[in-house]
Amino acid sequence: MVSGSASVRLSRQISKLLSADLLVAEVNTFADGELYVRIPEPVEGEEVVLVQSTYPNEKLIELFLLQDAIWESDPSSLSVVIPYYAYGRQDKKFKEGEAISSRAVARRVEVNAHRIVTVDVHNERVMKYFELPAREASGMPALARYFSGGGVEMVLAPDENATRHAQAIGDLMGVPWDYLKKERIDSWTVETEEKPLEVKGLKVAIVDDVISTGGTMASAARIARSQGARSVVAGCVHGLFVGGAEQRLKGFDEVVSTDTVHTGHSKVSVAPEVVEELKRLA
Ligand code: R5P
């Protein structure tokens, strides 16, 4: 296995499960911001798994450079694991003249790869942009494992897109789930429609694929609290926590994310699910 600098902890977990040796790539930054990467040992003839999340932007460039470095070393195969797949939200043209950014990323990733595994891309349409064998692991079982030990009694999606996630976690845990409707005004502002929820006296987990600014979560938490939830925890697969998110999330009793993007909130690992998908593709 080769780990890029964005995914060292997750790579360690995956390498343990696969009983595979782990090489951590050397990565340096030149004075002008350009990256330098090197894999510390040749991987000629090896079945290589490369793991690298693509947030923030320079980690995406690092991924492309690492793929090139490994390819140069002539492995027998290269499986590319992208735990957080950046640009997944621009999965189509919303306005004429726009790039289909997630397709652009997929096309570049496929230049040096034999197969691809990602975790909860924003929209399943993204997976269709891959022509190589590609699979999407789910981060929901990891969140369900964590919440099961923490006494969560109800799961809530903060918007309609997250409904399938709330349902998956609720079903795995055997607790009820519901969803809210949200309108995004701009990157920093959302409006959530209030509706009656069965949350009174309960410990509620609000779950989403991504927490970016935290606005979506904070808005849903206010509604759950105002309707009498006893405790409110936030759960996401990809915790980006940008620009003031920590402050916006202060209203939660706990914030939990997986290790697709490593932060202080990464309390559960998606390694078992990633390994399962790698084995399916082998
Ligand atoms: C969008 O549909 C995503 O699933 C998330 O709800 C969104 O990325 C969260 O963004 P923020 O934390 O900035 O509200």
Side-chain angles (χ1 to χ4, degrees), residues 27 142 193 205 255:
V27 183
E193 218 174 274
V255 178

Side-chain angles (χ1 to χ4, degrees), residues 89 122 159 161 182 184 208-216:
R89 283 172 283 190
H122 184 62
D159 62 25
N161 281 338
K182 165 189 96 176
R184 181 166 289 286
D208 207 345
D209 57 346
V210 183
I211 295 181
S212 180
T213 68
T216 300

Side-chain angles (χ1 to χ4, degrees), residues 117-215:
V117 172
T118 68
V119 182
D120 288 308
V121 283
H122 184 62
N123 188 310
E124 52 201 23
R125 193 170 19 241
V126 175
M127 297 309 289
K128 299 203 169 69
Y129 292 141
F130 288 110
E131 288 178 12
L132 292 174
R135 293 201 56 101
E136 182 188 20
S138 173
M140 303 310 152
L143 290 172
R145 285 195 287 277
Y146 186 83
F147 290 141
S148 293
V152 164
E153 295 161 296
M154 192 266 181
V155 183
L156 181 63
D159 62 25
E160 283 179 294
N161 281 338
T163 304
R164 63 197 167 102
H165 305 315
Q167 178 173 13
I169 295 176
D171 289 351
L172 283 167
M173 295 178 64
V175 301
W177 56 273
D178 204 344
Y179 68 96
L180 292 164
K181 287 186 186 172
K182 165 189 96 176
E183 194 191 338
R184 181 166 289 286
I185 311 299
D186 58 38
S187 292
W188 302 92
T189 324
V190 297
E191 279 173 11
T192 311
E193 218 174 274
E194 176 116 25
K195 77 173 202 192
L197 298 167
E198 303 277 326
V199 295
K200 202 169 172 52
L202 300 183
K203 179 164 182 173
V204 177
I206 305 181
V207 298
D208 207 345
D209 57 346
V210 183
I211 295 181
S212 180
T213 68

